C-alpha cells in the first residue's frame, strides 16, 4: 500500500505563497531597473564620446586646400585621456582623405540633416563604441571617436551588484519576519489542535483559545457552538433514555402484575377483567412512549427549526374536530372561539398541533373532574396588544398557582392526575418546550372568577391577518 505524502504545513504554504510572487516581482523589477540604468549609462558614455568628438572638431583648421588638426599629440592625449578605456580617433574629409588619427578607424559618413551617429564596431579585435560627428565648416569633414566598452561593463556590473545585494538582504529579512509573524498568528491554531487532541470523547465543554485574529476567533466560536449543539443533543438522548427507563418501569410492572394475577384465576370473567386492565395499561404506556419520543424530537429540532406563516385558525379547527368524538363520549362541551376569521402566525405547524393535542388531552382528562356545572373545554384565538394569544380553558377544579408553576417540568403531575393514575407529567413539559422553540410565551392560570384551568400561548409579532 502506497502511503500518500504528508501535506505541507500551513505556515510553509503561506510563506511560499507570499515570498514566491514577491521574489518573481522583485526579479522582474530588478531586470527592468537594470535595463533602464543600462540605457541611461549608455547615454552618459555616448554623450562623453560626442563631447570629445566636438572638441576635436573645433580644433580642425584649414590651410590652403587642406585640413589639419590644430592639436599636438600631447594635447590630443590630454583631451582623450581615460583611466580605464582605450580611445581612438580619426579625422577625414568628405572625400575620404585621412587627416589625423587612426587610419583604419572609419565609419559610414553621416547624411544631413543628421549631424552625428553612434554605432558599435570592431577594431584590432576590440569591441568599440564609436560616434561620427559631421561638420561643414571650414569644409565638410567627419570626426570619429571610439573607445572600448570595459568601463561601461564595469559600471553595469557594479550597478547590478550594489542594487541586488541590498534587495537580497531585504528579501531575506522580509522572509524571516514573515516566518515569525505567520508562526505567531498560527500559534492559536496549534493550541486549538493540541486542546482537541487531548480532549476525551465525552468532554464537550467550550474551548478557550487566545485568538489573535478574527479568523481564529470565528473558528473557535464555531467549534464551541458545535460542542454546545452536541452537548444538547447528547443531553437530550440521555434524558430520553432516563425518562424511558423511569417512566416505563411503573406501567410495565403493573402490566406484569395484572398478567400474573389473571393467570392465577380460573374464572373467565376475571380473565376478561384483567385483560381489559392490561389493555388500558398498554394504551397508557404507548401514549407515554409517544410523548417521550415527541419530547426528544423537540429537543433535537431546536437547532434546525425554521418558522413560517401558518393558519392558526385552521389548525385549531382541525384539532377540535379531532377531539370532538372523545369529548362527546365523556359528556364534555368542547367548543372554539375566534376561528371564524383567518389568523396567521409565524410558527411550525407540527409544533402548534402538538401544543393543541396535549392541551386538549389534559383538559379532557382532568378538566371535567369535580366540575359543579356541565363540563366544558374552550379553545380560543384572540388578538391582544398586537400579539395573537391561543388559549385552552376548562371549568374544572383548577390548581393552585404554586402547583401550576411545577407542571411545566417533566414528570410533575397535579394532585388530580396522581389520583386518577393517568399520564406521566410530560404533556405540559412538551407544550412549554414547543412554545420555547417557536419563540412564543406560555402562561398558566385560572379561568374567570378563579374557576377552572387556563393555558395561554402568546405568539409575538404575528404577520397581518390574511
Amino acid at each position: 500500500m502506497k502511503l500518500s505524502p504528508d501535506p505541507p504545513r500551513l505556515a510553509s504554504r503561506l510563506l511560499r505563497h507570499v515570498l514566491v510572487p514577491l521574489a518573481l516581482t522583485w526579479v522582474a523589477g530588478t531586470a527592468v531597473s537594470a535595463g533602464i540604468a543600462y540605457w541611461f549609462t549608455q547615454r552618459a558614455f555616448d554623450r562623453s564620446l560626442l563631447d570629445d568628438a566636438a572638441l576635436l572638431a573645433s580644433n580642425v583648421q584649414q590651410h590652403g586646400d587642406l585640413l589639419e588638426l590644430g592639436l599636438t599629440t600631447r594635447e590630443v592625449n590630454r583631451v582623450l585621456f581615460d583611466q580605464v578605456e582605450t580611445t581612438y580617433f580619426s579625422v577625414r574629409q568628405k572625400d575620404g582623405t585621412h587627416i589625423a588619427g587612426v587610419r583604419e578607424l572609419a565609419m559610414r559618413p553621416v547624411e544631413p540633416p543628421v549631424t552625428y551617429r553612434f554605432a558599435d564596431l570592431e577594431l584590432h579585435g576590440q569591441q568599440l563604441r564609436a560616434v561620427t560627428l559631421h561638420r561643414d565648416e571650414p569644409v565638410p569633414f567627419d570626426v570619429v571617436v571610439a573607445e572600448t566598452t570595459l568601463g561601461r561593463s564595469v559600471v553595469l556590473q557594479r550597478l547590478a551588484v550594489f542594487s541586488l545585494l541590498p534587495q537580497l538582504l531585504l528579501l531575506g529579512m522580509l522572509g524571516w519576519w514573515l516566518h515569525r509573524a505567520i508562526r505567531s498568528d498560527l500559534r492559536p491554531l496549534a493550541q486549538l489542535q493540541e486542546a482537541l487532541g487531548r480532549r476525551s470523547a465525552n468532554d464537550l465543554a467550550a474551548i478557550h483559545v487566545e485568538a489573535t485574529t478574527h479568523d481564529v476567533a470565528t473558528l473557535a466560536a464555531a467549534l464551541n457552538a458545535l460542542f454546545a449543539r452536541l452537548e444538547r443533543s447528547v443531553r437530550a438522548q440521555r434524558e430520553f433514555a432516563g425518562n424511558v427507563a423511569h417512566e416505563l418501569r411503573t406501567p410495565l410492572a403493573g402490566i406484569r402484575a395484572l398478567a400474573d394475577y389473571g393467570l392465577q384465576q380460573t374464572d373467565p370473567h376475571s380473565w376478561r377483567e384483567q385483560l381489559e386492565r392490561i389493555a388500558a395499561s398498554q394504551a397508557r404506556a404507548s401514549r407515554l412512549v409517544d410523548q417521550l419520543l415527541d419530547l426528544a424530537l423537540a429537543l433535537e429540532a431546536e437547532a434546525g427549526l425554521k418558522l413560517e406563516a401558518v393558519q392558526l385558525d385552521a389548525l385549531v379547527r382541525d384539532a377540535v374536530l379531532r377531539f370532538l368524538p372523545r369529548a362527546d363520549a365523556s359528556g364534555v362541551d368542547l367548543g372554539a372561539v375566534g376561528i371564524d376569521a383567518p389568523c396567521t402566525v409565524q410558527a411550525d405547524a407540527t409544533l402548534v398541533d402538538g401544543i393543541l393535542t396535549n392541551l386538549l388531552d389534559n383538559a379532557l382528562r382532568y378538566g371535567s373532574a369535580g366540575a359543579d356545572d356541565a363540563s366544558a373545554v374552550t379553545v380560543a384565538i384572540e388578538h391582544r396588544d398586537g400579539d395573537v394569544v391561543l388559549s385552552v380553558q376548562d371549568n374544572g377544579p383548577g390548581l393552585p398557582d404554586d402547583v401550576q408553576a411545577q407542571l411545566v417540568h417533566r414528570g410533575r403531575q397535579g394532585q388530580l392526575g396522581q389520583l386518577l393514575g393517568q399520564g406521566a407529567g410530560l404533556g405540559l413539559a412538551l407544550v412549554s418546550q414547543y412554545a420555547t422553540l417557536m419563540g412564543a410565551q406560555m402562561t398558566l392560570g385560572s379561568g374567570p372568577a378563579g374557576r377552572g384551568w387556563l393555558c395561554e400561548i402568546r405568539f409575538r409579532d404575528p404577520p397581518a391577518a390574511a
Side-chain angles (χ1 to χ4, degrees):
M1 180 178 178
K2 185 178 180 180
L3 298 178
S4 59
D6 294 335
R9 298 178 63 87
L10 181 58
S12 301
R13 292 194 62 179
L14 290 176
L15 191 62
R16 185 168 64 250
H17 290 332
V18 172
L19 288 183
V20 169
L22 185 62
L24 293 177
T25 304
W26 167 74
V27 170
T30 301
V32 172
S33 300
I36 295 175
Y38 178 75
W39 184 79
F40 278 105
T41 302
Q42 289 285 82
R43 290 288 302 273
F45 278 97
D46 288 348
R47 176 57 63 180
S48 177
L49 275 179
L50 184 59
D51 291 342
D52 291 342
L55 182 59
L56 292 177
S58 64
N59 288 276
V60 174
Q61 302 171 357
Q62 184 178 13
H63 292 276
D65 295 333
L66 298 177
L67 295 177
E68 65 177 15
L69 181 62
L71 295 175
T72 65
T73 303
R74 180 185 296 272
E75 291 173 338
V76 170
N77 291 335
R78 187 178 304 168
V79 170
L80 302 180
F81 173 76
D82 192 292
Q83 294 180 347
V84 177
E85 305 293 356
T86 301
T87 306
Y88 306 91
F89 79 98
S90 174
V91 181
R92 294 176 182 273
Q93 292 188 185
K94 187 176 182 180
D95 59 2
T97 303
H98 181 261
I99 299 174
V102 179
R103 186 178 299 274
E104 296 83 359
L105 184 61
M107 291 179 61
R108 183 166 55 89
V110 178
E111 299 295 337
V114 179
T115 59
Y116 63 90
R117 182 178 69 250
F118 293 96
D120 296 321
L121 54 87
E122 183 177 352
L123 179 66
H124 301 158
Q126 292 180 314
Q127 295 296 327
L128 303 177
R129 179 69 172 173
V131 61
T132 300
L133 177 63
H134 178 75
R135 287 287 187 265
D136 291 324
E137 295 178 357
V139 294
F141 68 94
D142 292 333
V143 177
V144 179
V145 178
E147 66 179 5
T148 56
T149 58
L150 179 61
R152 299 172 185 243
S153 301
V154 170
V155 170
L156 184 60
Q157 291 175 0
R158 290 180 179 178
L159 180 64
V161 169
F162 286 111
S163 62
L164 289 178
L165 286 181
Q167 293 187 56
L168 286 174
L169 181 60
L170 291 176
L171 187 63
M173 293 178 62
L174 177 62
W176 173 80
W177 180 83
L178 284 175
H179 180 69
R180 286 178 53 89
I182 291 174
R183 290 191 60 182
S184 176
D185 288 339
L186 293 181
R187 188 174 294 112
L189 285 179
Q191 296 174 356
L192 183 62
Q193 178 184 2
E194 184 180 359
L196 292 176
R198 294 197 309 263
R199 178 159 296 199
S200 65
N202 297 324
D203 187 4
L204 297 177
I207 297 179
H208 300 285
V209 178
E210 296 181 0
T212 57
T213 61
H214 175 73
D215 299 314
V216 176
T218 303
L219 177 60
L223 286 175
N224 289 333
L226 175 62
F227 287 152
R229 293 194 298 270
L230 290 175
E231 196 275 335
R232 287 196 297 269
S233 177
V234 172
R235 185 175 67 249
Q237 295 175 6
R238 291 174 180 173
E239 291 182 357
F240 172 73
N243 287 334
V244 170
H246 179 269
E247 301 297 345
L248 289 183
R249 185 181 296 113
T250 299
L252 291 179
I255 292 175
R256 177 62 182 271
L258 291 173
D260 290 341
Y261 180 78
L263 291 174
Q264 296 174 2
Q265 305 300 316
T266 58
D267 184 9
H269 178 73
S270 298
W271 291 347
R272 181 178 181 82
E273 181 180 357
Q274 296 306 311
L275 288 175
E276 291 176 349
R277 292 181 179 179
I278 289 174
S281 296
Q282 186 276 333
R284 288 195 297 270
S286 178
R287 179 177 177 276
L288 173 61
V289 171
D290 291 339
Q291 286 185 321
L292 289 172
L293 289 174
D294 289 343
L295 186 59
L297 291 176
L299 292 174
E300 289 291 339
E302 182 176 0
L305 183 65
K306 294 183 179 179
L307 303 182
E308 58 184 2
V310 298
Q311 294 296 125
L312 184 60
D313 56 295
L315 294 176
V316 172
R317 185 181 299 107
D318 292 342
V320 170
L321 292 176
R322 189 169 64 250
F323 278 89
L324 194 57
R326 176 178 166 184
D328 292 339
S330 302
V332 178
D333 181 14
L334 177 60
V337 177
I339 63 173
D340 53 342
C343 180
T344 305
V345 295
Q346 285 293 121
D348 180 85
T350 303
L351 297 186
V352 173
D353 184 72
I355 288 176
L356 290 169
T357 298
N358 282 279
L359 291 181
L360 287 174
D361 180 73
N362 279 350
L364 293 178
R365 284 178 182 274
Y366 313 124
S368 60
D372 297 334
D373 303 328
S375 299
V377 175
T378 302
V379 184
I381 297 176
E382 60 178 316
H383 295 269
R384 188 186 306 166
D385 298 331
D387 299 333
V388 172
V389 180
L390 170 66
S391 63
V392 176
Q393 178 183 340
D394 63 50
N395 62 343
L399 291 172
D401 295 340
D402 56 342
V403 177
Q404 291 181 7
Q406 298 178 4
L407 289 179
V408 295
H409 300 288
R410 284 178 231 174
R412 299 295 179 87
Q413 290 178 283
Q415 182 180 6
L416 183 59
Q418 294 175 352
L419 293 176
L420 294 177
Q422 301 177 357
L426 293 176
L428 288 179
L430 282 171
V431 173
S432 177
Q433 184 68 34
Y434 290 166
T436 302
L437 290 177
M438 294 186 294
Q441 180 181 0
M442 172 181 170
T443 304
L444 299 179
S446 301
R451 295 189 55 188
W453 177 79
L454 173 67
C455 180
E456 293 183 344
I457 307 296
R458 180 185 290 266
F459 295 93
R460 299 289 186 182
D461 301 326

